[in-house]
Every structure is written in C-alpha cells, then in structure tokens.
Amino acid sequence: MPDETLHLPLIHRLLERHKDSPGALLPILHQIQEELGYIPDPAIPEIAHSLNLSQAEVRGVISFYHDFRSAPPARHILRLCRAESCQSRGAEQLAAQLRERLQLDDHGSSADGNISLRPVYCLGACACSPALELDGQLHARLSAERLDALLDSCREDA
C-alpha cells in the first residue's frame, strides 16, 4: 500500500489556496479527489485543522456525499440504477447477480480492485430500463447475459 503521507504537500497547497474562502470544505474535498482520485486518510486532520473543524465534521461530509472516496478507486466504476423504473424491469436481479459474481456489497470493490459497484437512483434512461453506467458509458435495456459480457470485458481489460 502506498504511503499516503506523500500527498500532504499537495493537500497543504490546496488548503492554503482555499482555506479563507467561505464554504471551503466542499471545494477542497473535490479538488483533492480530482487530483488524487480519492481523499486519503492523512488529509482529514490537515483539513480539519486548516478550516477549524473537527475531524468528525470532515469525515461526516465525506461519508454523506457518496461520490467522495476514501480509498483509491477501482479500475472500473459500475453504477447500477436502482430507481423505480429500473427496479420494475429487473435491476434488483441484476444487483444480486453483481453481488454474487463480484463477491461484494452495493458499495464495494471486487477483491482484485478491478470493479467498484455503486448504486444510483436515476441515470435518466427510464425509457430504456434497466440501465447502468460503466466508466461513464451508459448501457440500457440490460439483460443478465449483457451484464455478464460487460463484466467479462472488464476482467479482460485488467
């Protein structure tokens, strides 16, 4: 595992740039994640101290917004729609298939770190349910067979 303290100089530069701005926490967190792909644990006390917040407040914001990550992202991000239209067209069965095949829960990453599963509650493809987004690309009218093919393509890409 890489030494996450190596990121502290970047974090300090971002904090120095934004700490006096009103509502600086969210822009700082977004910029750290944009630069590093996630928000490393050693950043939490640095952010809290710089913004005069508790570490619990910083962690609370990170955990509240599901797009923030506290670990490096997997190679592939799969976001399965769990809204009503997709549910009515089989999204729950697809979610079970994903959990079984990848051996993870709805917010987990596969053991090999290749795929992360994230539920979302609308991808805007209701007319083409069920839908998922894989690495930013929408896949609609999904079947169990198409889902397996997508997972296979992720494995081959590893």
Side-chain angles (χ1 to χ4, degrees), residues 5-21:
T5 60
L6 295 174
H7 302 304
L8 289 178
L10 168 72
I11 291 162
H12 289 146
R13 281 194 306 276
L14 293 174
L15 289 170
E16 193 57 38
R17 186 178 315 146
H18 295 287
K19 71 179 181 179
D20 295 325
S21 302

Side-chain angles (χ1 to χ4, degrees), residues 21-60:
S21 302
L25 180 57
L26 283 174
I28 288 169
L29 293 173
H30 280 290
Q31 196 154 16
I32 291 171
Q33 183 157 298
E34 185 177 314
E35 296 281 336
L36 302 176
Y38 72 110
I39 300 163
D41 199 53
I44 306 300
E46 303 295 323
I47 296 167
H49 177 74
S50 179
L51 299 179
N52 197 27
L53 299 170
S54 71
Q55 290 185 40
E57 288 173 298
V58 176
R59 289 183 195 282

Side-chain angles (χ1 to χ4, degrees), residues 37 49 66 89 92 95-97 127 132 142:
H49 177 74
H66 292 293
R89 301 295 309 257
E92 290 304 318
Q97 179 181 345
L132 67 76
L142 211 57

Side-chain angles (χ1 to χ4, degrees), residues 99-131:
R99 289 189 299 265
E100 169 86 17
R101 178 146 177 206
L102 300 175
Q103 296 297 298
L104 49 79
D105 66 18
D106 284 339
H107 290 277
S109 293
S110 57
D112 61 5
N114 196 38
I115 301 174
S116 282
L117 177 60
R118 301 284 180 264
V120 294
Y121 292 92
C122 192
L123 290 170
C126 301
C128 306
S129 298

